[in-house]
Amino acid sequence: MTNILCMKDKHSTLYGVMAQFDSPSALVAAARETYAVGYRQINGYSPFPIEELTEAIGFKRSTLPLIVLAGGLIGGLGGCFMQ
């Protein structure tokens, strides 16, 4: 069973869709279809990790975690040396 909720404003412009799927394979299949049609701002939520989902929505790794790690190390070492 799939529940879909479309959110529209008063000008009838679609700005969001929410769906609920009964199985992980249905979620991954829908995400692949959505990505193939051309939508790129896709997200999927699950109570457990689904490895195929990250590939299906076109998720790319970011350099932000490395930048935050470097900033934390520099800040921690700077604070230690200032003491």
Side-chain angles (χ1 to χ4, degrees):
M1 174 185 226
T2 302
N3 298 328
I4 298 178
L5 172 67
C6 295
M7 306 183 105
K8 296 183 178 187
D9 64 5
K10 56 186 166 186
H11 300 294
S12 188
T13 303
L14 181 67
Y15 63 87
V17 175
M18 183 182 296
Q20 178 179 347
F21 299 96
D22 289 335
S23 68
S25 58
L27 172 61
V28 171
R32 283 192 178 126
E33 269 186 57
T34 305
Y35 190 81
V37 171
Y39 292 99
R40 295 297 180 253
Q41 293 184 355
I42 309 166
N43 210 341
Y45 298 101
S46 170
F48 51 87
I50 303 173
E51 293 183 21
E52 298 88 12
L53 186 60
T54 57
E55 297 169 5
I57 64 174
F59 179 76
K60 295 181 176 84
R61 295 222 177 246
S62 172
T63 58
L64 184 61
L66 292 175
I67 293 170
V68 172
L69 176 64
L73 289 174
I74 291 170
L77 290 172
C80 184
F81 286 124
M82 287 173 44
Q83 290 180 5

